[in-house]
């Protein structure tokens, strides 16, 4: 139920044009993923229709199926490359923005990412940005959301470094948040 409420709130923000620049960039990224998935479904439907037409005709079935398969694979690869290029453009555009906007963009990504590795990367980036903005308490909250079992060796070093730095800035003597 919570996920549905978040989607509803996200749609309301999008309609109203509200939200921060980082949130708007995150919503644009999600929109592109949705368009990509719809295009893949349309491609699959077109491929199945074309395959049915080829199988209905008797002549040169194997060469037609091979041609349709190559066309479908080529289209999927080109759609994936187009999506990757668009995402990279969005990331570069956001990277030129101020630190607070980049933090909001990472917060949006961390909220919607399903896999733990991507969410951890976004949370670590948010913690770094919070430390740069002088908000060590918020950095500690971000580090609490990190799933430690999915961290790489370098990310684990970064995690402990950010945690120690945030604890030093807040004046806490003990660090109790282990991943």
């Amino acid at each position: 139920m919570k996920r549905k409420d978040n989607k509803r709130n996200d749609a309301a923000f999008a309609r109203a044009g509200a939200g921060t620049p980082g949130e708007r960039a995150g919503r644009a990224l999600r929109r592109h993923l949705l368009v990509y998935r719809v295009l893949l479904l349309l491609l699959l439907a077109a491929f199945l229709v074309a395959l049915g037409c080829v199988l209905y005709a008797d002549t040169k079935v194997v060469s037609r199926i091979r041609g349709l398969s190559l066309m479908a694979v080529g289209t999927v690869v080109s759609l994936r490359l187009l999506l990757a290029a668009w995402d990279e453009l969005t990331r570069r555009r956001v990277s030129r923005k101020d630190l607070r906007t980049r933090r909001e963009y990472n917060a949006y990504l961390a909220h919607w990412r399903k896999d733990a590795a991507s969410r951890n990367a976004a949370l670590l980036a948010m913690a770094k940005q919070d430390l740069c903005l002088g908000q060590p308490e918020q950095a500690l909250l971000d580090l609490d959301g990190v799933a430690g079992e999915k961290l790489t060796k370098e990310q684990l070093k970064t995690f402990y470094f950010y945690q120690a730095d945030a604890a030093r800035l807040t004046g806490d003597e003990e660090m109790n948040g282990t991943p």
Side-chain angles (χ1 to χ4, degrees), residues 1-2 8 11 13 20 24 29-31 40 47 49 62 66 85-87 94 141 145 154 158 163 166 174:
M1 187 66 186
K2 183 179 179 188
R8 193 175 305 123
F13 275 127
T20 61
R24 286 193 298 269
L29 181 68
R30 287 193 63 233
R31 247 190 334 268
L40 279 180
F47 178 72
V49 167
V62 174
R66 188 177 304 138
W86 189 263
D87 290 348
V94 169
L141 288 175
E154 287 299 316
T158 304
Q163 191 179 37
E174 64 180 61

Side-chain angles (χ1 to χ4, degrees), residues 36-113:
Y36 171 72
R37 289 177 182 144
V38 168
L39 286 175
L40 279 180
L41 284 175
L42 289 174
L43 175 69
L44 177 67
F47 178 72
L48 290 176
V49 167
L51 187 63
C53 291
V54 165
L55 292 178
Y56 183 71
D58 297 352
T59 59
K60 301 179 186 176
V61 173
V62 174
S63 62
R64 287 184 185 176
I65 291 175
R66 188 177 304 138
L68 285 173
S69 299
L70 286 175
M71 179 189 72
V73 168
T75 306
V76 167
V77 168
S78 62
L79 282 174
R80 186 65 192 155
L81 289 174
L82 182 66
L83 179 69
W86 189 263
D87 290 348
E88 184 62 27
L89 252 156
T90 303
R91 285 186 187 100
R92 285 187 183 182
R93 193 176 327 130
V94 169
S95 71
R96 287 187 226 126
K97 305 269 184 189
D98 63 318
L99 192 59
R100 189 166 304 282
T101 303
R102 286 183 297 197
R103 193 226 177 265
E104 292 162 354
Y105 176 71
N106 282 327
Y108 192 86
L109 290 182
H111 178 70
W112 286 103
R113 293 290 179 178

